[in-house]
């Protein structure tokens, strides 16, 4: 993490390489009390933004992003 609390450009590039658009992922954990997503939910990666947030088109219709360093997903 940089001093501003965001991942470095190198880290973001690694996240983008690990989760390219179109790859399938499964949620391990999410630190969002308002989310209806639960561990085991699956979806398709849309994009990774400059903060390392992985935006997923979840199979349940949600479009919630996975925050780098907070939430956890795994590639299927």
């Amino acid at each position: 993490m940089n001093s501003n609390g965001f991942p470095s450009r190198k880290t973001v590039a690694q996240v983008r390489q690990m989760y390219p658009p179109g790859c399938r992922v499964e949620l391990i954990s999410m630190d969002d009390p308002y989310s209806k997503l639960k561990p085991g939910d699956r979806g398709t990666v849309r994009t990774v933004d400059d903060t390392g947030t992985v935006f997923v088109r979840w199979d349940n219709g949600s479009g919630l992003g996975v925050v780098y360093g907070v939430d956890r997903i795994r590639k299927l």
Side-chain angles (χ1 to χ4, degrees), residues 60-73:
N60 68 4
S62 175
L64 199 57
V66 179
V67 178
Y68 178 82
V70 178
D71 305 322
R72 294 178 48 216
I73 54 175

Side-chain angles (χ1 to χ4, degrees), residues 1-65:
M1 296 276 183
N2 288 338
S3 60
N4 62 6
F6 292 108
S8 68
R9 287 183 183 181
K10 180 179 177 184
T11 299
V12 171
Q14 291 171 335
V15 172
R16 285 183 171 136
Q17 185 174 8
M18 186 180 301
Y19 299 109
C23 83
R24 297 282 292 164
V25 295
E26 181 178 70
L27 183 66
I28 296 172
S29 65
M30 181 168 278
D31 186 25
D32 183 341
Y34 302 105
S35 172
K36 292 186 167 112
L37 293 170
K38 59 192 178 311
D41 283 347
R42 295 179 173 193
T44 304
V45 172
R46 290 184 359 228
T47 191
V48 177
D49 73 7
D50 291 340
T51 67
T53 297
V54 180
F55 287 92
V56 178
R57 184 177 301 112
W58 297 100
D59 294 348
N60 68 4
S62 175
L64 199 57

